[in-house]
Amino acid sequence: MSGSSPAARLQQLFEGRRLTPTQRRIAHSMVRRAGDAPFLSSVELAELAGVSQPSVTRFAVALGFDGYPALRKHLREVAPAGSVAGDGEDTYNEYQQAVLGEIENLRHLAGLLADPGPVERAGRLLAASRPLPVLGLRAASSQARGFGYFAAKVHPDVRVLDEGGSMLHDRIDAARRAGATALICFALPRHPREVVDALAYAQGQGLTVVSVADSAFAPVAGHSDLLIPAAVGTGLAFDTACAPMLLGRVLLEAMCDNLPDAQARLEEFDAGAVARGLFVE
């Protein structure tokens, strides 16, 4: 485990554990601050996760440790040599650190994709759903729109759900009645309660939910049939989402692999674009 990134090591530690919603919140906070996690006190971690200090202790016990000090000791032991919080921070300014943080997120995603199975399964589910609802609210709305824009070039019926409100469930109903079998959701912090409710409703209507989220412990995890994590950058005032965006493109590729006429549709679009003078070369 020592050869992986800090976030990957934490993900491996938490995988397969039956955690309560509060404990998932703590796990999610640790993954987001993976580099600092081995050096946080129980009080600091509790404040970071917005939970009580006893909750942090119970979380450590749920992972099989005698208490939080034992968990922190374990994290320090598996950290790569020289990876002390703050190392190198005086070498780069805050903008460079944000970029380097995103590079680390992409490395972690590359490692995750070494097992293509989940992405390939998602591609089959998305290709088979007619129509295909694409959900993303607030911070994730741009991810949903971007995915929907490209998906519509190869998929015959893509429906982007990027606005909340009382009509959201109606639009899920309409997609299901039209034949939808799956829904893809982009879920980024801060997670709107409305998204969690919408996924619960979609599952209740028989849709298979594929989620791209910032962590395997994100609030949408409990209502996702297949969740593929891609971390967001937290080094700036507003989170950055390079890894979730790239994962969305990877899922598009997997979907295209399961659409026999995808290439023909792309060529048809290109021919039409040329005839209309749509783009400036």
PDB file of all heavy atoms in Angstrom, residues 43-76:
ATOM      1  N   VAL A  43      -9.536  16.188  17.438  1.00  0.00           N
ATOM      2  CA  VAL A  43     -10.325  17.418  17.485  1.00  0.00           C
ATOM      3  C   VAL A  43     -10.343  18.085  16.115  1.00  0.00           C
ATOM      4  O   VAL A  43     -11.392  18.527  15.627  1.00  0.00           O
ATOM      5  CB  VAL A  43      -9.771  18.381  18.550  1.00  0.00           C
ATOM      6  CG1 VAL A  43     -10.481  19.736  18.481  1.00  0.00           C
ATOM      7  CG2 VAL A  43      -9.919  17.784  19.944  1.00  0.00           C
ATOM      8  N   GLU A  44      -9.173  18.155  15.471  1.00  0.00           N
ATOM      9  CA  GLU A  44      -9.079  18.786  14.152  1.00  0.00           C
ATOM     10  C   GLU A  44      -9.901  18.011  13.121  1.00  0.00           C
ATOM     11  O   GLU A  44     -10.585  18.609  12.289  1.00  0.00           O
ATOM     12  CB  GLU A  44      -7.615  18.853  13.710  1.00  0.00           C
ATOM     13  CG  GLU A  44      -6.786  19.850  14.504  1.00  0.00           C
ATOM     14  CD  GLU A  44      -5.310  19.744  14.208  1.00  0.00           C
ATOM     15  OE1 GLU A  44      -4.835  18.626  13.881  1.00  0.00           O
ATOM     16  OE2 GLU A  44      -4.609  20.764  14.317  1.00  0.00           O
ATOM     17  N   LEU A  45      -9.836  16.679  13.164  1.00  0.00           N
ATOM     18  CA  LEU A  45     -10.601  15.872  12.214  1.00  0.00           C
ATOM     19  C   LEU A  45     -12.097  16.031  12.463  1.00  0.00           C
ATOM     20  O   LEU A  45     -12.888  16.122  11.524  1.00  0.00           O
ATOM     21  CB  LEU A  45     -10.200  14.401  12.323  1.00  0.00           C
ATOM     22  CG  LEU A  45     -10.935  13.428  11.395  1.00  0.00           C
ATOM     23  CD1 LEU A  45     -10.808  13.857   9.936  1.00  0.00           C
ATOM     24  CD2 LEU A  45     -10.415  12.003  11.581  1.00  0.00           C
ATOM     25  N   ALA A  46     -12.498  16.086  13.732  1.00  0.00           N
ATOM     26  CA  ALA A  46     -13.913  16.281  14.062  1.00  0.00           C
ATOM     27  C   ALA A  46     -14.414  17.610  13.514  1.00  0.00           C
ATOM     28  O   ALA A  46     -15.506  17.695  12.946  1.00  0.00           O
ATOM     29  CB  ALA A  46     -14.115  16.211  15.573  1.00  0.00           C
ATOM     30  N   GLU A  47     -13.611  18.666  13.672  1.00  0.00           N
ATOM     31  CA  GLU A  47     -13.997  19.984  13.147  1.00  0.00           C
ATOM     32  C   GLU A  47     -14.059  19.961  11.626  1.00  0.00           C
ATOM     33  O   GLU A  47     -14.949  20.554  11.020  1.00  0.00           O
ATOM     34  CB  GLU A  47     -13.006  21.038  13.633  1.00  0.00           C
ATOM     35  CG  GLU A  47     -13.082  21.320  15.131  1.00  0.00           C
ATOM     36  CD  GLU A  47     -12.059  22.342  15.583  1.00  0.00           C
ATOM     37  OE1 GLU A  47     -11.171  22.696  14.765  1.00  0.00           O
ATOM     38  OE2 GLU A  47     -12.126  22.789  16.745  1.00  0.00           O
ATOM     39  N   LEU A  48     -13.108  19.278  11.009  1.00  0.00           N
ATOM     40  CA  LEU A  48     -13.070  19.202   9.551  1.00  0.00           C
ATOM     41  C   LEU A  48     -14.310  18.502   8.999  1.00  0.00           C
ATOM     42  O   LEU A  48     -14.884  18.928   7.989  1.00  0.00           O
ATOM     43  CB  LEU A  48     -11.806  18.454   9.111  1.00  0.00           C
ATOM     44  CG  LEU A  48     -11.567  18.292   7.614  1.00  0.00           C
ATOM     45  CD1 LEU A  48     -11.324  19.649   6.957  1.00  0.00           C
ATOM     46  CD2 LEU A  48     -10.369  17.377   7.371  1.00  0.00           C
ATOM     47  N   ALA A  49     -14.729  17.438   9.683  1.00  0.00           N
ATOM     48  CA  ALA A  49     -15.872  16.657   9.213  1.00  0.00           C
ATOM     49  C   ALA A  49     -17.204  17.185   9.730  1.00  0.00           C
ATOM     50  O   ALA A  49     -18.263  16.751   9.272  1.00  0.00           O
ATOM     51  CB  ALA A  49     -15.708  15.192   9.636  1.00  0.00           C
ATOM     52  N   GLY A  50     -17.158  18.105  10.710  1.00  0.00           N
ATOM     53  CA  GLY A  50     -18.395  18.626  11.280  1.00  0.00           C
ATOM     54  C   GLY A  50     -19.106  17.609  12.155  1.00  0.00           C
ATOM     55  O   GLY A  50     -20.335  17.540  12.171  1.00  0.00           O
ATOM     56  N   VAL A  51     -18.313  16.819  12.894  1.00  0.00           N
ATOM     57  CA  VAL A  51     -18.883  15.810  13.790  1.00  0.00           C
ATOM     58  C   VAL A  51     -18.284  15.995  15.175  1.00  0.00           C
ATOM     59  O   VAL A  51     -17.419  16.842  15.393  1.00  0.00           O
ATOM     60  CB  VAL A  51     -18.597  14.380  13.270  1.00  0.00           C
ATOM     61  CG1 VAL A  51     -19.166  14.193  11.875  1.00  0.00           C
ATOM     62  CG2 VAL A  51     -17.107  14.074  13.281  1.00  0.00           C
ATOM     63  N   SER A  52     -18.717  15.176  16.133  1.00  0.00           N
ATOM     64  CA  SER A  52     -18.183  15.259  17.493  1.00  0.00           C
ATOM     65  C   SER A  52     -16.881  14.459  17.608  1.00  0.00           C
ATOM     66  O   SER A  52     -16.624  13.548  16.815  1.00  0.00           O
ATOM     67  CB  SER A  52     -19.200  14.715  18.501  1.00  0.00           C
ATOM     68  OG  SER A  52     -19.381  13.322  18.313  1.00  0.00           O
ATOM     69  N   GLN A  53     -16.082  14.792  18.617  1.00  0.00           N
ATOM     70  CA  GLN A  53     -14.837  14.059  18.827  1.00  0.00           C
ATOM     71  C   GLN A  53     -15.089  12.578  19.143  1.00  0.00           C
ATOM     72  O   GLN A  53     -14.383  11.706  18.618  1.00  0.00           O
ATOM     73  CB  GLN A  53     -14.016  14.719  19.934  1.00  0.00           C
ATOM     74  CG  GLN A  53     -12.624  14.099  20.086  1.00  0.00           C
ATOM     75  CD  GLN A  53     -11.801  14.814  21.134  1.00  0.00           C
ATOM     76  OE1 GLN A  53     -12.294  15.699  21.829  1.00  0.00           O
ATOM     77  NE2 GLN A  53     -10.537  14.428  21.261  1.00  0.00           N
ATOM     78  N   PRO A  54     -16.104  12.243  19.965  1.00  0.00           N
ATOM     79  CA  PRO A  54     -16.389  10.818  20.185  1.00  0.00           C
ATOM     80  C   PRO A  54     -16.733  10.065  18.900  1.00  0.00           C
ATOM     81  O   PRO A  54     -16.449   8.869  18.782  1.00  0.00           O
ATOM     82  CB  PRO A  54     -17.580  10.847  21.144  1.00  0.00           C
ATOM     83  CG  PRO A  54     -17.437  12.133  21.888  1.00  0.00           C
ATOM     84  CD  PRO A  54     -16.909  13.096  20.872  1.00  0.00           C
ATOM     85  N   SER A  55     -17.320  10.771  17.933  1.00  0.00           N
ATOM     86  CA  SER A  55     -17.630  10.122  16.654  1.00  0.00           C
ATOM     87  C   SER A  55     -16.358   9.694  15.935  1.00  0.00           C
ATOM     88  O   SER A  55     -16.312   8.647  15.282  1.00  0.00           O
ATOM     89  CB  SER A  55     -18.443  11.059  15.757  1.00  0.00           C
ATOM     90  OG  SER A  55     -19.721  11.299  16.299  1.00  0.00           O
ATOM     91  N   VAL A  56     -15.314  10.513  16.058  1.00  0.00           N
ATOM     92  CA  VAL A  56     -14.027  10.174  15.450  1.00  0.00           C
ATOM     93  C   VAL A  56     -13.453   8.927  16.117  1.00  0.00           C
ATOM     94  O   VAL A  56     -12.906   8.035  15.445  1.00  0.00           O
ATOM     95  CB  VAL A  56     -13.052  11.363  15.560  1.00  0.00           C
ATOM     96  CG1 VAL A  56     -11.644  10.954  15.107  1.00  0.00           C
ATOM     97  CG2 VAL A  56     -13.553  12.539  14.726  1.00  0.00           C
ATOM     98  N   THR A  57     -13.570   8.855  17.435  1.00  0.00           N
ATOM     99  CA  THR A  57     -13.090   7.675  18.151  1.00  0.00           C
ATOM    100  C   THR A  57     -13.842   6.427  17.714  1.00  0.00           C
ATOM    101  O   THR A  57     -13.246   5.370  17.445  1.00  0.00           O
ATOM    102  CB  THR A  57     -13.245   7.873  19.675  1.00  0.00           C
ATOM    103  OG1 THR A  57     -12.484   9.017  20.081  1.00  0.00           O
ATOM    104  CG2 THR A  57     -12.760   6.644  20.430  1.00  0.00           C
ATOM    105  N   ARG A  58     -15.169   6.523  17.621  1.00  0.00           N
ATOM    106  CA  ARG A  58     -15.971   5.374  17.195  1.00  0.00           C
ATOM    107  C   ARG A  58     -15.632   4.975  15.756  1.00  0.00           C
ATOM    108  O   ARG A  58     -15.647   3.790  15.403  1.00  0.00           O
ATOM    109  CB  ARG A  58     -17.465   5.706  17.324  1.00  0.00           C
ATOM    110  CG  ARG A  58     -17.946   5.770  18.777  1.00  0.00           C
ATOM    111  CD  ARG A  58     -19.465   5.803  18.844  1.00  0.00           C
ATOM    112  NE  ARG A  58     -20.005   7.061  18.339  1.00  0.00           N
ATOM    113  CZ  ARG A  58     -20.213   8.137  19.087  1.00  0.00           C
ATOM    114  NH1 ARG A  58     -19.920   8.117  20.396  1.00  0.00           N
ATOM    115  NH2 ARG A  58     -20.722   9.233  18.563  1.00  0.00           N
ATOM    116  N   PHE A  59     -15.326   5.956  14.944  1.00  0.00           N
ATOM    117  CA  PHE A  59     -14.924   5.696  13.559  1.00  0.00           C
ATOM    118  C   PHE A  59     -13.641   4.859  13.521  1.00  0.00           C
ATOM    119  O   PHE A  59     -13.551   3.864  12.780  1.00  0.00           O
ATOM    120  CB  PHE A  59     -14.714   7.030  12.839  1.00  0.00           C
ATOM    121  CG  PHE A  59     -14.053   6.932  11.494  1.00  0.00           C
ATOM    122  CD1 PHE A  59     -14.733   6.415  10.408  1.00  0.00           C
ATOM    123  CD2 PHE A  59     -12.755   7.370  11.313  1.00  0.00           C
ATOM    124  CE1 PHE A  59     -14.132   6.326   9.160  1.00  0.00           C
ATOM    125  CE2 PHE A  59     -12.141   7.298  10.070  1.00  0.00           C
ATOM    126  CZ  PHE A  59     -12.837   6.768   9.003  1.00  0.00           C
ATOM    127  N   ALA A  60     -12.661   5.227  14.328  1.00  0.00           N
ATOM    128  CA  ALA A  60     -11.402   4.479  14.375  1.00  0.00           C
ATOM    129  C   ALA A  60     -11.639   3.050  14.836  1.00  0.00           C
ATOM    130  O   ALA A  60     -11.066   2.097  14.286  1.00  0.00           O
ATOM    131  CB  ALA A  60     -10.408   5.187  15.290  1.00  0.00           C
ATOM    132  N   VAL A  61     -12.496   2.884  15.830  1.00  0.00           N
ATOM    133  CA  VAL A  61     -12.804   1.545  16.339  1.00  0.00           C
ATOM    134  C   VAL A  61     -13.504   0.714  15.264  1.00  0.00           C
ATOM    135  O   VAL A  61     -13.246  -0.485  15.103  1.00  0.00           O
ATOM    136  CB  VAL A  61     -13.667   1.638  17.614  1.00  0.00           C
ATOM    137  CG1 VAL A  61     -14.164   0.254  18.033  1.00  0.00           C
ATOM    138  CG2 VAL A  61     -12.872   2.294  18.753  1.00  0.00           C
ATOM    139  N   ALA A  62     -14.395   1.367  14.495  1.00  0.00           N
ATOM    140  CA  ALA A  62     -15.105   0.660  13.418  1.00  0.00           C
ATOM    141  C   ALA A  62     -14.136   0.147  12.355  1.00  0.00           C
ATOM    142  O   ALA A  62     -14.422  -0.834  11.665  1.00  0.00           O
ATOM    143  CB  ALA A  62     -16.146   1.590  12.782  1.00  0.00           C
ATOM    144  N   LEU A  63     -12.977   0.805  12.233  1.00  0.00           N
ATOM    145  CA  LEU A  63     -11.970   0.370  11.267  1.00  0.00           C
ATOM    146  C   LEU A  63     -11.055  -0.711  11.842  1.00  0.00           C
ATOM    147  O   LEU A  63     -10.153  -1.197  11.147  1.00  0.00           O
ATOM    148  CB  LEU A  63     -11.125   1.570  10.811  1.00  0.00           C
ATOM    149  CG  LEU A  63     -11.851   2.646  10.012  1.00  0.00           C
ATOM    150  CD1 LEU A  63     -10.907   3.791   9.680  1.00  0.00           C
ATOM    151  CD2 LEU A  63     -12.459   2.081   8.732  1.00  0.00           C
ATOM    152  N   GLY A  64     -11.264  -1.060  13.118  1.00  0.00           N
ATOM    153  CA  GLY A  64     -10.489  -2.138  13.720  1.00  0.00           C
ATOM    154  C   GLY A  64      -9.341  -1.691  14.597  1.00  0.00           C
ATOM    155  O   GLY A  64      -8.503  -2.517  15.003  1.00  0.00           O
ATOM    156  N   PHE A  65      -9.285  -0.387  14.927  1.00  0.00           N
ATOM    157  CA  PHE A  65      -8.203   0.129  15.769  1.00  0.00           C
ATOM    158  C   PHE A  65      -8.703   0.330  17.199  1.00  0.00           C
ATOM    159  O   PHE A  65      -9.911   0.435  17.443  1.00  0.00           O
ATOM    160  CB  PHE A  65      -7.674   1.450  15.199  1.00  0.00           C
ATOM    161  CG  PHE A  65      -7.059   1.310  13.840  1.00  0.00           C
ATOM    162  CD1 PHE A  65      -7.822   1.537  12.687  1.00  0.00           C
ATOM    163  CD2 PHE A  65      -5.739   0.932  13.681  1.00  0.00           C
ATOM    164  CE1 PHE A  65      -7.270   1.396  11.423  1.00  0.00           C
ATOM    165  CE2 PHE A  65      -5.165   0.783  12.418  1.00  0.00           C
ATOM    166  CZ  PHE A  65      -5.933   1.013  11.298  1.00  0.00           C
ATOM    167  N   ASP A  66      -7.767   0.386  18.139  1.00  0.00           N
ATOM    168  CA  ASP A  66      -8.143   0.580  19.545  1.00  0.00           C
ATOM    169  C   ASP A  66      -8.710   1.967  19.800  1.00  0.00           C
ATOM    170  O   ASP A  66      -9.437   2.176  20.766  1.00  0.00           O
ATOM    171  CB  ASP A  66      -6.933   0.357  20.462  1.00  0.00           C
ATOM    172  CG  ASP A  66      -6.482  -1.096  20.454  1.00  0.00           C
ATOM    173  OD1 ASP A  66      -7.328  -1.961  20.146  1.00  0.00           O
ATOM    174  OD2 ASP A  66      -5.305  -1.355  20.734  1.00  0.00           O
ATOM    175  N   GLY A  67      -8.362   2.914  18.977  1.00  0.00           N
ATOM    176  CA  GLY A  67      -8.822   4.288  19.111  1.00  0.00           C
ATOM    177  C   GLY A  67      -8.189   5.137  18.034  1.00  0.00           C
ATOM    178  O   GLY A  67      -7.453   4.624  17.174  1.00  0.00           O
ATOM    179  N   TYR A  68      -8.455   6.435  18.069  1.00  0.00           N
ATOM    180  CA  TYR A  68      -7.935   7.299  17.010  1.00  0.00           C
ATOM    181  C   TYR A  68      -6.406   7.382  17.003  1.00  0.00           C
ATOM    182  O   TYR A  68      -5.806   7.386  15.923  1.00  0.00           O
ATOM    183  CB  TYR A  68      -8.551   8.699  17.117  1.00  0.00           C
ATOM    184  CG  TYR A  68      -8.061   9.609  16.021  1.00  0.00           C
ATOM    185  CD1 TYR A  68      -8.482   9.422  14.702  1.00  0.00           C
ATOM    186  CD2 TYR A  68      -7.142  10.624  16.280  1.00  0.00           C
ATOM    187  CE1 TYR A  68      -8.010  10.230  13.671  1.00  0.00           C
ATOM    188  CE2 TYR A  68      -6.666  11.429  15.271  1.00  0.00           C
ATOM    189  CZ  TYR A  68      -7.098  11.234  13.968  1.00  0.00           C
ATOM    190  OH  TYR A  68      -6.626  12.026  12.954  1.00  0.00           O
ATOM    191  N   PRO A  69      -5.729   7.439  18.170  1.00  0.00           N
ATOM    192  CA  PRO A  69      -4.258   7.472  18.131  1.00  0.00           C
ATOM    193  C   PRO A  69      -3.666   6.281  17.379  1.00  0.00           C
ATOM    194  O   PRO A  69      -2.683   6.426  16.651  1.00  0.00           O
ATOM    195  CB  PRO A  69      -3.871   7.460  19.620  1.00  0.00           C
ATOM    196  CG  PRO A  69      -5.027   8.103  20.301  1.00  0.00           C
ATOM    197  CD  PRO A  69      -6.235   7.627  19.542  1.00  0.00           C
ATOM    198  N   ALA A  70      -4.273   5.102  17.537  1.00  0.00           N
ATOM    199  CA  ALA A  70      -3.781   3.923  16.824  1.00  0.00           C
ATOM    200  C   ALA A  70      -3.999   4.052  15.322  1.00  0.00           C
ATOM    201  O   ALA A  70      -3.151   3.651  14.513  1.00  0.00           O
ATOM    202  CB  ALA A  70      -4.478   2.667  17.351  1.00  0.00           C
ATOM    203  N   LEU A  71      -5.140   4.622  14.922  1.00  0.00           N
ATOM    204  CA  LEU A  71      -5.398   4.849  13.500  1.00  0.00           C
ATOM    205  C   LEU A  71      -4.385   5.834  12.927  1.00  0.00           C
ATOM    206  O   LEU A  71      -3.806   5.604  11.862  1.00  0.00           O
ATOM    207  CB  LEU A  71      -6.823   5.381  13.301  1.00  0.00           C
ATOM    208  CG  LEU A  71      -7.171   5.905  11.903  1.00  0.00           C
ATOM    209  CD1 LEU A  71      -6.978   4.844  10.841  1.00  0.00           C
ATOM    210  CD2 LEU A  71      -8.608   6.434  11.878  1.00  0.00           C
ATOM    211  N   ARG A  72      -4.152   6.927  13.644  1.00  0.00           N
ATOM    212  CA  ARG A  72      -3.197   7.929  13.151  1.00  0.00           C
ATOM    213  C   ARG A  72      -1.791   7.340  13.067  1.00  0.00           C
ATOM    214  O   ARG A  72      -1.052   7.618  12.114  1.00  0.00           O
ATOM    215  CB  ARG A  72      -3.217   9.155  14.064  1.00  0.00           C
ATOM    216  CG  ARG A  72      -2.390  10.313  13.523  1.00  0.00           C
ATOM    217  CD  ARG A  72      -2.634  11.588  14.272  1.00  0.00           C
ATOM    218  NE  ARG A  72      -2.235  11.484  15.670  1.00  0.00           N
ATOM    219  CZ  ARG A  72      -2.233  12.501  16.513  1.00  0.00           C
ATOM    220  NH1 ARG A  72      -2.640  13.704  16.103  1.00  0.00           N
ATOM    221  NH2 ARG A  72      -1.859  12.343  17.756  1.00  0.00           N
ATOM    222  N   LYS A  73      -1.406   6.525  14.045  1.00  0.00           N
ATOM    223  CA  LYS A  73      -0.095   5.874  14.017  1.00  0.00           C
ATOM    224  C   LYS A  73       0.034   4.983  12.786  1.00  0.00           C
ATOM    225  O   LYS A  73       1.082   4.976  12.103  1.00  0.00           O
ATOM    226  CB  LYS A  73       0.094   5.058  15.294  1.00  0.00           C
ATOM    227  CG  LYS A  73       1.445   4.320  15.403  1.00  0.00           C
ATOM    228  CD  LYS A  73       1.555   3.642  16.750  1.00  0.00           C
ATOM    229  CE  LYS A  73       2.910   2.951  16.905  1.00  0.00           C
ATOM    230  NZ  LYS A  73       3.032   1.782  16.023  1.00  0.00           N
ATOM    231  N   HIS A  74      -1.038   4.249  12.470  1.00  0.00           N
ATOM    232  CA  HIS A  74      -1.029   3.395  11.291  1.00  0.00           C
ATOM    233  C   HIS A  74      -0.846   4.219  10.016  1.00  0.00           C
ATOM    234  O   HIS A  74      -0.050   3.851   9.138  1.00  0.00           O
ATOM    235  CB  HIS A  74      -2.339   2.609  11.220  1.00  0.00           C
ATOM    236  CG  HIS A  74      -2.526   1.866   9.931  1.00  0.00           C
ATOM    237  ND1 HIS A  74      -1.864   0.696   9.634  1.00  0.00           N
ATOM    238  CD2 HIS A  74      -3.303   2.153   8.845  1.00  0.00           C
ATOM    239  CE1 HIS A  74      -2.219   0.280   8.428  1.00  0.00           C
ATOM    240  NE2 HIS A  74      -3.087   1.140   7.934  1.00  0.00           N
ATOM    241  N   LEU A  75      -1.556   5.326   9.920  1.00  0.00           N
ATOM    242  CA  LEU A  75      -1.462   6.161   8.723  1.00  0.00           C
ATOM    243  C   LEU A  75      -0.060   6.731   8.559  1.00  0.00           C
ATOM    244  O   LEU A  75       0.454   6.842   7.447  1.00  0.00           O
ATOM    245  CB  LEU A  75      -2.487   7.300   8.792  1.00  0.00           C
ATOM    246  CG  LEU A  75      -3.960   6.876   8.738  1.00  0.00           C
ATOM    247  CD1 LEU A  75      -4.864   8.086   8.857  1.00  0.00           C
ATOM    248  CD2 LEU A  75      -4.263   6.110   7.456  1.00  0.00           C
ATOM    249  N   ARG A  76       0.582   7.088   9.666  1.00  0.00           N
ATOM    250  CA  ARG A  76       1.947   7.609   9.589  1.00  0.00           C
ATOM    251  C   ARG A  76       2.933   6.527   9.180  1.00  0.00           C
ATOM    252  O   ARG A  76       3.898   6.786   8.453  1.00  0.00           O
ATOM    253  CB  ARG A  76       2.347   8.205  10.936  1.00  0.00           C
ATOM    254  CG  ARG A  76       1.615   9.499  11.261  1.00  0.00           C
ATOM    255  CD  ARG A  76       2.028  10.039  12.616  1.00  0.00           C
ATOM    256  NE  ARG A  76       1.379  11.319  12.886  1.00  0.00           N
ATOM    257  CZ  ARG A  76       1.551  12.022  14.000  1.00  0.00           C
ATOM    258  NH1 ARG A  76       2.346  11.558  14.963  1.00  0.00           N
ATOM    259  NH2 ARG A  76       0.931  13.178  14.164  1.00  0.00           N
TER     260      ARG A  76
END
